[in-house]
Amino acid sequence: MSINLGRHRTSCRRSPRRSERARLEMAPVSVRSVLISESVDPCCRQILEGHGIRVTEKANLSREELMGEMKNHDGLVVRSATKVTADIINAAGNLKIIGRAGTGVDNVDVDAATKKGIIVMNTPSGNTISAAELTCALLMSLSRHVPQAAMSMRAGNWDRKKFMGAELYGKVLGIIGLGRIGKEVATRMQSFGMKTIGYDPITPPEVSAGWGVEQMSLEQLWPQCDYITVHTPLMPSTAGLLGDATFAKCKRGVKVVNCARGGIIDEAALFRALESGQCGGAGLDVFVEEPPKDRSLVNHPNVISCPHLGASTKEAQARCGQDIALQIVDMVKGKGLVGAVNAQVLVSAFSPESHQWIKLGEAIGAVLQSCTISKQPFSQVQITTRGDCLKHSTGYIASAVMVGLLTSGSSGCPNLVNALALAKESGVKVNQHHDQSEGAVHGLCDVEISVNGSSYKASGSVQAGVPVLLELSGNVFRQPVSLSGNLLFIRASASPQLLPSLTGLLAAAGVEMESFSAPAARAGDLWYCVGLSALLQDLGALKPLVKEAAQLAI
Ligand code: NAD
Ligand code: MLT
């Protein structure tokens, strides 16, 4: 007989956690107060306030001031100037959402936010047209030297020879990154008669061919281009995409544009190529350091530069401000999750039907956590969903199971955003799988955990809108067990005396038995589930009767 008092202590700690788990459910997420730390279109504030969210606008905060402010808000809205670093994220007491009114989230430490269970959201299409138009403006300016000619006029000159240009018509434009902006640049520059070729590892060639861009390898692309424009995110595979080695493969005099992120074109290599004439001109909206302290590129006669103006139009700012506010409001109302960059799994968790499956996942995880507490840590978790209705739900159900398994453990404060990341950090291997095989008409969720060489399994479902447990470690219950209230799980020898003896022990402890669920098997050591009016103060009272016991409040 082993009744682990640690399990009892944990179980007792679970009681107040009922409300905590409810708070952790992601749909809807409660956001009462938002800090806007930069100049964002006023419609953002209006929309948020119109939906009852308090808004504080404070621009140009120092790092320390921002850390201090973070304690007072559930949401933060930024553009690109606020650096939302790990220390700022970790200083936030209750932060649930970081909203980026714009595309790139490189000013936000997304990993740190994910570990903290904070959703990071952007507005990826609000400034696409503006950034594409600026790219086209730079391409045209490079071909006709418009800014240089304007400056020369202002200086009192009339120099027609110096600014001899070249037509774009018939020239080849290489577009690296064929996403939203790359596509818009392509179709606009085609209207000037440019031939558009490109490269993107994700966008299929037949898709880009549909908007007139022939895809090819970078090796094939470099030597063909008269102009090259980059429209990728900045990441290890794109940093220095254009550098000494690649400039050398280009046509002499190639002109380049970067309206994406500083560093995709290596700045030092660009300067060398401009000096040697290998590069005939550059249009730069973005820099590795903004504003750039090193002015050698900005001051170069063949460079046309802008202070990161791609999204600086009234229309783009209004769209981004409006989009981020509406996305936050929709999330708060549980209508949907749009634009989340670190919580893709939650996108499908916002349908009303998903709520009970999330509760089921958390409850199964909590049951297994309670029943194995003396044997932990667990090392491996296998989560399998079955049934057509769950074919797109495995991700969020797996996260919910991990919330149940990790809550009350030592790993942070798990929620649907961070549960898988916390599991990984603690060395727990989580496998998730949807079983397509025919037969499972209704949705089912099976969870198996490996603890210290033994394996524990629980299966559940949602029946008539209620999460139920069907099986625990090989014991199939005669009736599905409703996973709510105060539940006591015991492993005991099957005997006709079990029920009356247990009733007596519970009565002596001042607790009423509200339900008793027995497995279909009738012999051997079996798991039973007992509904209680209150959790027991001391599981030791059951010692004479049971081999294992665990209790929890759901
Ligand atoms: P997007 O996600 O729609 O497109 C990016 C594309 O790059 C994707 O299709 C992706 O497959 C592709 N890509 C990824 N790695 C690549 C690689 N190694 N080589 C080639 N292609 C690769 O993004 P978007 O909205 O088009 O934005 C593009 C860039 O523009 C981003 O860096 C964004 O931050 C930046 N941006 C800048 C401004 C500005 O003010 N200058 C405004 C908006 C966006
Ligand atoms: C973006 O990524 O959206 C742009 O860089 C524009 C901005 O600065 O917000």
Side-chain angles (χ1 to χ4, degrees):
M1 149 83 191
S2 81
I3 294 183
N4 188 293
L5 291 181
R7 193 182 306 145
H8 176 212
R9 279 199 301 276
T10 305
S11 306
C12 287
R13 270 182 19 224
R14 274 200 174 273
S15 187
R17 283 179 180 272
R18 284 178 77 174
S19 58
E20 189 181 329
R21 277 212 299 275
R23 179 174 64 75
L24 292 171
E25 279 166 24
M26 297 309 302
V29 181
S30 144
V31 175
R32 280 157 299 194
S33 166
V34 165
L35 172 70
I36 301 179
S37 65
E38 284 178 63
S39 156
V40 173
D41 192 272
C43 70
C44 179
R45 178 181 198 140
Q46 281 159 20
I47 294 170
L48 292 172
E49 288 183 339
H51 287 84
I53 297 173
R54 254 188 344 272
V55 176
T56 308
E57 281 185 84
K58 284 190 182 172
N60 305 319
L61 293 173
S62 68
R63 187 173 150 272
E64 288 69 29
E65 287 168 331
L66 183 59
M67 280 168 86
E69 275 292 331
M70 290 323 302
K71 297 190 171 53
N72 310 324
H73 304 281
D74 314 306
L76 172 67
V77 170
V78 299
R79 283 184 58 193
S80 54
T82 310
K83 305 295 171 229
V84 193
T85 50
D87 50 355
I88 285 166
I89 287 167
N90 292 327
N94 211 19
L95 196 66
K96 312 244 176 49
I97 173 84
I98 299 169
R100 159 78 163 100
T103 309
V105 286
D106 31 9
N107 55 321
V108 178
D109 189 330
V110 179
D111 285 345
T114 307
K115 276 187 201 151
K116 262 266 193 167
I118 298 167
I119 296 175
V120 180
M121 190 185 262
N122 68 351
T123 58
S125 49
N127 52 32
T128 300
I129 301 292
S130 292
E133 286 184 0
L134 183 70
T135 306
C136 298
L138 288 174
L139 287 165
M140 286 185 256
S141 299
L142 284 173
S143 71
R144 303 302 292 270
H145 317 293
V146 179
Q148 293 95 327
M151 281 191 291
S152 166
M153 286 286 281
R154 184 156 296 171
N157 303 320
W158 182 261
D159 205 340
R160 300 183 67 204
K161 216 169 168 187
K162 187 171 175 192
F163 299 117
M164 174 66 74
E167 286 181 351
L168 290 173
Y169 181 81
K171 301 292 186 309
V172 177
L173 172 63
I175 305 174
I176 302 177
L178 297 164
R180 284 172 290 257
I181 298 172
K183 174 188 173 185
E184 298 302 328
V185 169
T187 52
R188 278 157 182 74
M189 296 319 293
Q190 284 155 16
S191 69
F192 278 78
M194 291 195 95
K195 178 181 178 195
T196 47
I197 60 177
Y199 170 75
D200 190 304
I202 310 278
T203 304
E206 56 279 15
V207 170
S208 62
W211 20 275
V213 179
E214 183 195 342
Q215 279 204 52
M216 57 191 66
S217 72
L218 287 172
E219 291 308 303
Q220 291 169 306
L221 179 141
W222 301 126
Q224 295 191 42
C225 300
D226 300 296
Y227 291 81
I228 295 172
T229 180
V230 292
H231 298 287
T232 69
L234 176 65
M235 47 192 184
S237 61
T238 61
L241 199 69
L242 260 167
D244 288 319
T246 37
F247 270 119
K249 294 176 184 162
C250 293
K251 269 189 193 169
R252 186 161 175 82
V254 65
K255 294 181 174 167
V256 298
V257 170
N258 186 358
C259 268
R261 281 293 179 266
I264 298 172
I265 301 180
D266 181 304
E267 291 181 348
L270 173 61
F271 186 78
R272 285 190 285 274
L274 285 161
E275 286 291 90
S276 72
Q278 179 63 13
C279 176
L284 302 176
D285 186 43
V286 287
F287 297 86
V288 171
E289 184 183 26
E290 293 185 359
K293 281 202 195 81
D294 177 351
R295 308 300 284 185
S296 45
L297 278 174
V298 173
N299 293 335
H300 196 282
N302 291 341
V303 171
I304 300 165
S305 60
C306 297
H308 202 142
L309 293 182
S312 295
T313 63
K314 284 182 268 176
E315 294 84 353
Q317 286 314 306
R319 262 186 237 118
C320 290
Q322 174 174 311
D323 286 355
I324 199 66
L326 290 174
Q327 287 170 207
I328 291 175
V329 167
D330 279 356
M331 180 192 77
V332 171
K333 291 190 175 288
K335 273 196 189 164
L337 187 64
V338 174
V341 298
N342 66 337
Q344 279 312 313
V345 81
L346 292 184
V347 173
S348 45
F350 269 70
S351 65
E353 316 79 72
S354 66
H355 297 184
Q356 294 309 318
W357 288 102
I358 291 171
K359 281 192 178 152
L360 175 78
E362 287 194 19
I364 290 184
V367 168
L368 285 172
Q369 199 273 348
S370 294
C371 292
T372 57
I373 189 84
S374 64
K375 305 180 170 90
Q376 287 177 26
F378 52 91
S379 52
Q380 193 159 334
V381 183
Q382 172 70 45
I383 299 148
T384 309
T385 53
R386 300 178 208 282
D388 255 14
C389 63
L390 294 185
K391 70 174 174 224
H392 301 301
S393 309
T394 313
Y396 69 76
I397 292 178
S399 297
V401 168
M402 294 315 299
V403 171
L405 275 167
L406 297 174
T407 299
S408 85
S410 55
S411 23
C413 187
N415 67 12
L416 295 182
V417 178
N418 63 6
L420 293 176
L422 291 178
K424 192 171 176 195
E425 204 172 54
S426 326
V428 179
K429 194 165 172 231
V430 181
N431 296 316
Q432 41 178 297
H433 167 67
H434 181 72
D435 185 351
Q436 301 268 29
S437 57
E438 285 174 29
V441 182
H442 305 294
L444 283 176
C445 169
D446 295 344
V447 182
E448 187 165 3
I449 65 171
S450 306
V451 194
N452 250 330
S454 321
S455 125
Y456 285 75
K457 193 178 159 198
S459 298
S461 184
V462 172
Q463 295 187 356
V466 177
V468 292
L469 185 66
L470 303 172
E471 181 184 338
L472 181 60
S473 284
N475 298 257
V476 178
F477 292 102
R478 285 181 219 164
Q479 297 295 329
V481 178
S482 168
L483 283 167
S484 65
N486 300 308
L487 299 179
L488 169 68
F489 289 90
I490 54 169
R491 191 169 68 84
S493 300
S495 139
Q497 293 313 310
L498 179 66
L499 183 55
S501 308
L502 186 63
T503 313
L505 285 177
L506 291 175
V511 171
E512 270 176 50
M513 183 187 291
E514 293 183 339
S515 62
F516 182 80
S517 305
R522 294 179 190 271
D525 284 344
L526 305 175
W527 279 98
Y528 300 81
C529 178
V530 187
L532 302 177
S533 59
L535 291 180
L536 285 160
Q537 288 298 314
D538 181 7
L539 279 180
L542 305 177
K543 220 173 177 180
L545 211 56
V546 305
K547 304 226 160 74
E548 286 183 80
Q551 60 176 351
L552 73 161
I554 295 177

CSV table of all heavy atoms in Angstrom, one decimal, residues 103-104 106 124 127-128 131 176-182 199-203 218 231-235 237-238 241 259-261 264 285-286 308-311, ligand 1:
chain,number,residue,atom,x,y,z
A,103,THR,N,4.5,44.9,-39.6
A,103,THR,CA,4.8,43.6,-40.1
A,103,THR,C,5.9,42.9,-39.3
A,103,THR,O,5.6,41.9,-38.6
A,103,THR,CB,5.3,43.6,-41.6
A,103,THR,OG1,4.3,44.3,-42.3
A,103,THR,CG2,5.4,42.2,-42.1
A,104,GLY,N,7.1,43.4,-39.3
A,104,GLY,CA,8.2,42.7,-38.7
A,104,GLY,C,8.1,42.7,-37.2
A,104,GLY,O,7.8,43.7,-36.6
A,106,ASP,N,10.8,41.8,-35.4
A,106,ASP,CA,12.2,41.6,-35.0
A,106,ASP,C,12.5,42.5,-33.8
A,106,ASP,O,13.6,42.4,-33.2
A,106,ASP,CB,13.2,41.8,-36.1
A,106,ASP,CG,12.7,42.8,-37.2
A,106,ASP,OD1,11.6,43.5,-36.9
A,106,ASP,OD2,13.3,42.9,-38.2
A,124,PRO,N,0.1,41.9,-40.6
A,124,PRO,CA,1.0,41.7,-41.7
A,124,PRO,C,0.7,42.3,-43.0
A,124,PRO,O,1.5,42.6,-43.8
A,124,PRO,CB,1.1,40.2,-41.8
A,124,PRO,CG,-0.2,39.7,-41.2
A,124,PRO,CD,-0.5,40.7,-40.1
A,127,ASN,N,0.5,47.4,-44.2
A,127,ASN,CA,1.4,48.3,-44.9
A,127,ASN,C,2.0,47.7,-46.1
A,127,ASN,O,2.9,48.3,-46.7
A,127,ASN,CB,2.5,48.8,-43.9
A,127,ASN,CG,3.2,47.7,-43.2
A,127,ASN,OD1,3.4,46.7,-43.8
A,127,ASN,ND2,3.6,48.0,-42.0
A,128,THR,N,1.5,46.6,-46.6
A,128,THR,CA,2.0,46.0,-47.8
A,128,THR,C,2.1,47.0,-49.0
A,128,THR,O,3.1,47.1,-49.7
A,128,THR,CB,1.1,44.8,-48.2
A,128,THR,OG1,1.2,43.9,-47.1
A,128,THR,CG2,1.6,44.1,-49.5
A,131,ALA,N,4.6,49.8,-48.5
A,131,ALA,CA,6.0,49.4,-48.7
A,131,ALA,C,6.3,49.1,-50.1
A,131,ALA,O,7.4,49.4,-50.6
A,131,ALA,CB,6.3,48.2,-47.8
A,176,ILE,N,13.7,39.0,-54.6
A,176,ILE,CA,14.0,38.0,-53.7
A,176,ILE,C,13.1,38.1,-52.5
A,176,ILE,O,13.1,39.1,-51.8
A,176,ILE,CB,15.5,38.1,-53.3
A,176,ILE,CG1,16.3,38.0,-54.5
A,176,ILE,CG2,15.8,36.9,-52.3
A,176,ILE,CD1,17.8,38.1,-54.3
A,177,GLY,N,12.2,37.1,-52.4
A,177,GLY,CA,11.1,37.1,-51.4
A,177,GLY,C,9.8,37.5,-52.1
A,177,GLY,O,9.6,38.6,-52.4
A,178,LEU,N,9.1,36.4,-52.4
A,178,LEU,CA,7.8,36.6,-53.1
A,178,LEU,C,6.6,36.4,-52.2
A,178,LEU,O,5.8,35.6,-52.5
A,178,LEU,CB,7.8,35.7,-54.3
A,178,LEU,CG,9.0,35.9,-55.3
A,178,LEU,CD1,9.2,34.7,-56.3
A,178,LEU,CD2,8.7,37.2,-56.1
A,179,GLY,N,6.6,37.2,-51.2
A,179,GLY,CA,5.4,37.2,-50.3
A,179,GLY,C,4.5,38.3,-50.7
A,179,GLY,O,4.4,38.7,-51.8
A,180,ARG,N,3.9,39.0,-49.6
A,180,ARG,CA,3.0,40.0,-49.9
A,180,ARG,C,3.6,41.2,-50.7
A,180,ARG,O,3.0,41.6,-51.7
A,180,ARG,CB,2.4,40.5,-48.5
A,180,ARG,CG,1.4,39.6,-47.9
A,180,ARG,CD,1.0,40.1,-46.5
A,180,ARG,NE,2.2,39.9,-45.6
A,180,ARG,CZ,2.3,39.0,-44.7
A,180,ARG,NH1,1.3,38.1,-44.5
A,180,ARG,NH2,3.3,38.8,-44.0
A,181,ILE,N,4.7,41.7,-50.1
A,181,ILE,CA,5.2,42.9,-50.8
A,181,ILE,C,5.9,42.6,-52.1
A,181,ILE,O,5.7,43.3,-53.1
A,181,ILE,CB,6.2,43.6,-49.8
A,181,ILE,CG1,5.5,44.1,-48.5
A,181,ILE,CG2,6.9,44.9,-50.5
A,181,ILE,CD1,6.3,44.6,-47.4
A,182,GLY,N,6.6,41.5,-52.1
A,182,GLY,CA,7.3,41.1,-53.4
A,182,GLY,C,6.3,41.0,-54.5
A,182,GLY,O,6.6,41.4,-55.6
A,199,TYR,N,13.0,34.6,-56.6
A,199,TYR,CA,13.3,33.4,-55.8
A,199,TYR,C,12.6,33.5,-54.5
A,199,TYR,O,12.6,34.5,-53.8
A,199,TYR,CB,14.8,33.3,-55.6
A,199,TYR,CG,15.2,32.2,-54.6
A,199,TYR,CD1,15.1,30.9,-55.0
A,199,TYR,CD2,15.6,32.6,-53.3
A,199,TYR,CE1,15.4,29.9,-54.0
A,199,TYR,CE2,15.9,31.6,-52.4
A,199,TYR,CZ,15.8,30.3,-52.7
A,199,TYR,OH,16.1,29.3,-51.8
A,200,ASP,N,12.0,32.4,-54.1
A,200,ASP,CA,11.4,32.2,-52.8
A,200,ASP,C,11.3,30.8,-52.4
A,200,ASP,O,10.8,30.0,-53.2
A,200,ASP,CB,10.0,32.9,-52.8
A,200,ASP,CG,9.4,33.0,-51.4
A,200,ASP,OD1,9.3,32.0,-50.6
A,200,ASP,OD2,9.0,34.1,-51.0
A,201,PRO,N,11.9,30.3,-51.3
A,201,PRO,CA,11.8,28.9,-51.0
A,201,PRO,C,10.5,28.4,-50.6
A,201,PRO,O,10.3,27.2,-50.6
A,201,PRO,CB,12.8,28.8,-49.8
A,201,PRO,CG,12.8,30.1,-49.2
A,201,PRO,CD,12.5,31.1,-50.2
A,202,ILE,N,9.5,29.2,-50.3
A,202,ILE,CA,8.2,28.8,-49.9
A,202,ILE,C,7.1,29.0,-50.9
A,202,ILE,O,6.3,28.1,-51.2
A,202,ILE,CB,7.8,29.5,-48.6
A,202,ILE,CG1,8.9,29.5,-47.5
A,202,ILE,CG2,6.4,29.0,-48.0
A,202,ILE,CD1,9.0,28.3,-46.7
A,203,THR,N,7.1,30.2,-51.5
A,203,THR,CA,6.0,30.4,-52.5
A,203,THR,C,6.2,29.5,-53.7
A,203,THR,O,7.3,29.6,-54.4
A,203,THR,CB,6.1,31.9,-53.0
A,203,THR,OG1,5.9,32.7,-51.8
A,203,THR,CG2,4.9,32.2,-53.9
A,218,LEU,N,18.9,31.1,-57.0
A,218,LEU,CA,19.7,32.4,-56.9
A,218,LEU,C,20.9,32.4,-57.8
A,218,LEU,O,21.2,33.5,-58.4
A,218,LEU,CB,20.1,32.6,-55.5
A,218,LEU,CG,19.0,33.0,-54.5
A,218,LEU,CD1,19.5,32.9,-53.0
A,218,LEU,CD2,18.4,34.3,-54.8
A,231,HIS,N,12.8,41.3,-50.4
A,231,HIS,CA,11.5,41.4,-49.6
A,231,HIS,C,11.3,40.2,-48.7
A,231,HIS,O,10.3,39.5,-48.7
A,231,HIS,CB,10.3,41.6,-50.6
A,231,HIS,CG,10.4,42.8,-51.4
A,231,HIS,ND1,10.2,44.1,-50.8
A,231,HIS,CD2,10.8,43.0,-52.7
A,231,HIS,CE1,10.4,45.0,-51.7
A,231,HIS,NE2,10.8,44.4,-52.9
A,232,THR,N,12.4,39.8,-48.0
A,232,THR,CA,12.3,38.7,-47.1
A,232,THR,C,12.4,39.2,-45.6
A,232,THR,O,12.7,40.4,-45.4
A,232,THR,CB,13.5,37.8,-47.3
A,232,THR,OG1,14.7,38.5,-46.8
A,232,THR,CG2,13.7,37.4,-48.7
A,233,PRO,N,12.0,38.4,-44.7
A,233,PRO,CA,12.4,38.8,-43.3
A,233,PRO,C,13.9,38.7,-43.1
A,233,PRO,O,14.6,38.1,-43.9
A,233,PRO,CB,11.7,37.7,-42.4
A,233,PRO,CG,10.9,36.8,-43.3
A,233,PRO,CD,11.4,37.1,-44.7
A,234,LEU,N,14.4,39.4,-42.0
A,234,LEU,CA,15.8,39.2,-41.7
A,234,LEU,C,15.9,38.0,-40.8
A,234,LEU,O,15.3,38.0,-39.7
A,234,LEU,CB,16.3,40.5,-41.0
A,234,LEU,CG,17.8,40.4,-40.5
A,234,LEU,CD1,18.8,40.3,-41.7
A,234,LEU,CD2,18.1,41.6,-39.6
A,235,MET,N,16.7,37.0,-41.2
A,235,MET,CA,16.9,35.8,-40.4
A,235,MET,C,18.2,35.3,-40.8
A,235,MET,O,18.8,35.7,-41.8
A,235,MET,CB,15.8,34.8,-40.5
A,235,MET,CG,15.3,34.6,-41.9
A,235,MET,SD,13.7,33.7,-41.9
A,235,MET,CE,13.5,33.4,-43.7
A,237,SER,N,19.2,32.9,-42.6
A,237,SER,CA,19.4,32.5,-44.0
A,237,SER,C,19.3,33.7,-45.0
A,237,SER,O,19.6,33.5,-46.1
A,237,SER,CB,18.3,31.5,-44.4
A,237,SER,OG,17.0,32.0,-44.2
A,238,THR,N,18.8,34.9,-44.5
A,238,THR,CA,18.8,36.0,-45.4
A,238,THR,C,19.8,37.1,-45.0
A,238,THR,O,19.9,38.0,-45.8
A,238,THR,CB,17.3,36.6,-45.4
A,238,THR,OG1,17.0,37.1,-44.1
A,238,THR,CG2,16.3,35.6,-45.9
A,241,LEU,N,22.4,38.2,-47.6
A,241,LEU,CA,22.0,37.5,-48.9
A,241,LEU,C,22.8,38.1,-50.1
A,241,LEU,O,23.2,37.4,-51.0
A,241,LEU,CB,20.5,37.6,-49.0
A,241,LEU,CG,19.8,36.7,-50.0
A,241,LEU,CD1,19.8,35.3,-49.4
A,241,LEU,CD2,18.4,37.1,-50.1
A,259,CYS,N,14.0,47.5,-49.0
A,259,CYS,CA,12.9,48.2,-48.2
A,259,CYS,C,12.4,47.1,-47.2
A,259,CYS,O,11.2,47.2,-46.8
A,259,CYS,CB,11.7,48.5,-49.1
A,259,CYS,SG,11.8,50.2,-49.7
A,260,ALA,N,13.2,46.1,-46.9
A,260,ALA,CA,12.7,45.0,-46.1
A,260,ALA,C,13.4,45.2,-44.7
A,260,ALA,O,12.7,45.8,-43.8
A,260,ALA,CB,13.1,43.7,-46.7
A,261,ARG,N,14.6,44.8,-44.5
A,261,ARG,CA,15.3,44.9,-43.2
A,261,ARG,C,16.7,45.1,-43.4
A,261,ARG,O,17.4,44.5,-44.3
A,261,ARG,CB,15.1,43.6,-42.3
A,261,ARG,CG,13.7,43.6,-41.6
A,261,ARG,CD,13.6,44.7,-40.6
A,261,ARG,NE,12.3,44.7,-39.9
A,261,ARG,CZ,11.2,45.4,-40.2
A,261,ARG,NH1,11.3,46.2,-41.3
A,261,ARG,NH2,10.1,45.4,-39.5
A,264,ILE,N,20.0,42.5,-44.8
A,264,ILE,CA,19.8,41.5,-45.8
A,264,ILE,C,20.8,41.8,-47.0
A,264,ILE,O,21.3,40.9,-47.5
A,264,ILE,CB,18.3,41.6,-46.4
A,264,ILE,CG1,17.3,41.2,-45.2
A,264,ILE,CG2,18.1,40.6,-47.5
A,264,ILE,CD1,15.9,41.4,-45.5
A,285,ASP,N,15.8,51.9,-47.6
A,285,ASP,CA,14.9,52.4,-46.6
A,285,ASP,C,15.2,51.9,-45.2
A,285,ASP,O,14.7,52.5,-44.2
A,285,ASP,CB,13.5,51.9,-47.0
A,285,ASP,CG,12.4,52.6,-46.1
A,285,ASP,OD1,12.5,53.8,-45.8
A,285,ASP,OD2,11.5,51.8,-45.6
A,286,VAL,N,16.0,50.9,-45.1
A,286,VAL,CA,16.3,50.2,-43.8
A,286,VAL,C,17.8,50.0,-43.6
A,286,VAL,O,18.5,49.9,-44.5
A,286,VAL,CB,15.5,48.9,-43.7
A,286,VAL,CG1,14.0,49.1,-43.6
A,286,VAL,CG2,15.8,48.0,-45.0
A,308,HIS,N,13.5,54.7,-43.0
A,308,HIS,CA,12.5,53.7,-42.7
A,308,HIS,C,11.1,54.2,-42.9
A,308,HIS,O,10.3,54.2,-41.9
A,308,HIS,CB,12.7,53.1,-41.3
A,308,HIS,CG,12.1,51.7,-41.1
A,308,HIS,ND1,12.7,50.8,-40.3
A,308,HIS,CD2,11.0,51.1,-41.6
A,308,HIS,CE1,12.0,49.6,-40.4
A,308,HIS,NE2,11.0,49.9,-41.1
A,309,LEU,N,10.8,54.5,-44.1
A,309,LEU,CA,9.5,55.2,-44.4
A,309,LEU,C,8.5,54.2,-45.1
A,309,LEU,O,7.4,54.7,-45.5
A,309,LEU,CB,9.7,56.4,-45.4
A,309,LEU,CG,10.5,57.6,-44.8
A,309,LEU,CD1,10.5,58.7,-45.8
A,309,LEU,CD2,9.8,58.1,-43.5
A,310,GLY,N,8.9,53.0,-45.3
A,310,GLY,CA,8.0,52.0,-46.0
A,310,GLY,C,6.6,52.1,-45.6
A,310,GLY,O,5.7,52.0,-46.4
A,311,ALA,N,6.3,52.1,-44.3
A,311,ALA,CA,5.0,52.1,-43.8
A,311,ALA,C,4.4,53.4,-43.4
A,311,ALA,O,3.3,53.6,-42.9
A,311,ALA,CB,4.9,51.1,-42.6
B,1,NAD,P1,5.9,38.1,-46.3
B,1,NAD,O1,6.1,37.2,-45.1
B,1,NAD,O2,4.6,38.2,-46.9
B,1,NAD,O3,7.0,37.6,-47.4
B,1,NAD,C1,8.3,37.3,-47.1
B,1,NAD,C2,8.7,36.2,-48.1
B,1,NAD,O4,10.1,36.0,-47.9
B,1,NAD,C3,8.0,34.9,-47.9
B,1,NAD,O5,7.3,34.5,-49.1
B,1,NAD,C4,9.1,33.9,-47.6
B,1,NAD,O6,8.9,32.6,-48.1
B,1,NAD,C5,10.3,34.6,-48.3
B,1,NAD,N1,11.6,34.1,-47.8
B,1,NAD,C6,11.9,33.6,-46.6
B,1,NAD,N2,13.2,33.3,-46.6
B,1,NAD,C7,13.7,33.5,-47.8
B,1,NAD,C8,14.9,33.4,-48.5
B,1,NAD,N3,16.0,32.8,-47.8
B,1,NAD,N4,15.1,33.7,-49.7
B,1,NAD,C9,14.0,34.2,-50.4
B,1,NAD,N5,12.8,34.4,-49.9
B,1,NAD,C10,12.6,34.1,-48.6
B,1,NAD,O7,6.5,39.5,-45.8
B,1,NAD,P2,6.1,40.9,-46.4
B,1,NAD,O8,5.0,41.4,-45.7
B,1,NAD,O9,6.2,40.8,-47.9
B,1,NAD,O10,7.4,41.7,-45.8
B,1,NAD,C11,8.7,41.5,-46.4
B,1,NAD,C12,9.7,42.3,-45.6
B,1,NAD,O11,9.4,43.7,-45.6
B,1,NAD,C13,9.8,41.9,-44.1
B,1,NAD,O12,11.1,41.9,-43.7
B,1,NAD,C14,9.1,43.1,-43.4
B,1,NAD,O13,9.5,43.3,-42.1
B,1,NAD,C15,9.5,44.2,-44.3
B,1,NAD,N6,8.7,45.4,-44.2
B,1,NAD,C16,9.3,46.6,-44.2
B,1,NAD,C17,8.6,47.8,-44.2
B,1,NAD,C18,9.2,49.1,-44.2
B,1,NAD,O14,8.7,50.0,-43.6
B,1,NAD,N7,10.3,49.3,-44.9
B,1,NAD,C19,7.2,47.7,-44.2
B,1,NAD,C20,6.5,46.5,-44.2
B,1,NAD,C21,7.3,45.3,-44.2
